[in-house]
Structures are given as structure tokens and as C-alpha cells.
Amino acid sequence: MLSRASYDMLPPSTAPRQLDPGDEDDGKMILMASQLVRIVSRAVELSAFSWLQKEVNALAQGQKTERGTVHLMRQLGRTALNLRWRICWLESGKVQSDGSDGSGRSRNAYLDRVKTLCQILYVYYSIARRKVPAWTADDGRAEKTVRSKYGDGRPIDETLPHDESLGGFECWLKSGDDMIRDAGFERPFSAG
């Protein structure tokens, strides 16, 4: 997930130029572009969540192969890791473009929404992991850690969810703070 964005203007028959937020006309174009990004992103989010619900239902009804279950489990785990990273950045106060209108209430609502989605994925990951036969986990096909690289930070090893409880989720979420430091990003921790 991006923490910053830039937009380039590509009018016909002219060289591309970067839009200037200080320019009134460019400011309108940037606002329009950012609103379109939000609309498209929301449509993609709804489509992905619908797909995810179908996949988890197929998993719960035993309609997925072992290979399909392992694949789904990996996708869920990696997506949950990405969301955990995003949550830690949002809580740091460093990210300005967090999807809110700038007010604390809106920002908190946005952060709560991302945390809820992360918790849902954590539960779905746990369900998928339970469906993977024990011998699959033992032969290395079911990962316990993932090597990740975020932005211009150092590569890090992240632990996938393993404790199927609310306390386990909270502890796993909190461990994301260490991942940010391990990746080499300095981060001031805010009081609120």
C-alpha cells in the first residue's frame, strides 16, 4: 500500500509534466485524480472481498484441494502482513495520506476499518491453516515466516499468524512495530 502518490499530466501531443499542487488548475486535477483512485480502489476492495468470501466458503465446505488451500493460506497470510505493516505506519503518525479527511475522528475510523479487515484476514488465515494436513506443514510447504521488503527498507523476516485467539491477534499486530524498526525505518511513537 502506498503512503504517498504523485500524478503526471499526459495531455495529447505534449511532453509529460508533473502536476504542481500549488497551482490552482493542477490542484483541481490532483483532487479529481485522487478521488478517482479512491473510487476505483473501493470497487477493487469490494470485488476482492466478495471473491474472498466465496473462497472461504468453498474451504469451509471442503470443496478446495490441498494445493488450493495452501495457496489461499499463503495469499491470506501475505495480505495480513501487508495490512499489519500499514496499520503500524498509520499509528506512527508519519503517513499523511491515510484515507481520512484529516480529523482525528475520521482518521481513527479509517484505522479501525483497516484493523478490522486485518483481523478478518487473520481469522480466515487460521481457518485455512487448520485445513492444511499436518504432514504438509512439516514438509515446509506451509510457511511460518515470510521474507518481506517494504519500500526502500531492508528485507525482513515476518512471522505469519499462529495463535488462534484475540490475544494472539493483538500480540501479532503489535509485533509489527518491531518489523518497521528491523527494516531500518526510524519511527517516532505517538501518544495517541
Side-chain angles (χ1 to χ4, degrees):
M1 293 185 202
L2 295 175
S3 60
R4 57 188 171 270
S6 66
Y7 300 95
D8 291 329
M9 180 86 126
L10 299 170
S13 72
T14 60
R17 69 176 179 83
Q18 195 164 38
L19 296 174
D20 175 17
D23 179 80
E24 186 177 336
D25 290 334
D26 284 357
K28 291 177 185 175
M29 292 293 287
I30 291 171
L31 181 62
M32 181 184 70
S34 66
Q35 291 299 335
L36 286 173
V37 166
R38 287 179 98 172
I39 291 168
V40 170
S41 294
R42 182 67 176 149
V44 169
E45 179 185 344
L46 291 173
S47 176
F49 203 73
S50 175
W51 171 85
L52 178 60
Q53 287 176 322
K54 288 177 187 171
E55 290 292 306
V56 171
N57 284 339
L59 178 68
Q61 295 170 5
Q63 298 173 352
K64 293 197 76 58
T65 64
E66 178 188 323
R67 185 178 188 162
T69 301
V70 170
H71 180 71
L72 177 63
M73 182 181 73
R74 286 183 176 153
Q75 286 180 308
L76 291 167
R78 290 175 187 265
T79 305
L81 289 173
N82 284 326
L83 283 175
R84 178 179 68 174
W85 180 270
R86 182 66 174 178
I87 290 165
C88 291
W89 271 107
L90 289 170
E91 288 179 336
S92 76
K94 276 190 158 186
V95 178
Q96 300 302 315
S97 59
D98 60 7
S100 68
D101 63 7
S103 71
R105 195 168 110 179
S106 175
R107 189 174 200 292
N108 289 340
Y110 177 78
L111 185 56
D112 287 345
R113 184 169 170 250
V114 175
K115 279 184 179 178
T116 299
L117 178 58
C118 188
Q119 188 174 11
I120 290 168
L121 293 179
Y122 186 96
V123 169
Y124 286 170
Y125 175 85
S126 297
I127 291 169
R129 196 184 69 204
R130 259 191 259 140
K131 296 282 187 177
V132 173
W135 63 268
T136 303
D138 292 338
D139 75 4
R141 286 189 278 169
E143 308 165 301
K144 291 184 172 77
T145 61
V146 172
R147 188 88 168 150
S148 301
K149 186 169 182 345
Y150 296 99
D152 53 358
R154 291 186 298 265
I156 54 173
D157 291 320
E158 294 188 273
T159 304
L160 290 161
H162 60 278
D163 183 350
E164 298 179 14
S165 67
L166 182 56
F169 170 74
E170 294 295 334
C171 184
W172 175 81
L173 193 60
K174 185 70 177 147
S175 70
D177 292 336
D178 297 332
M179 296 296 109
I180 288 178
R181 281 192 288 278
D182 292 347
F185 293 103
E186 291 300 318
R187 168 184 154 164
F189 292 91
S190 59

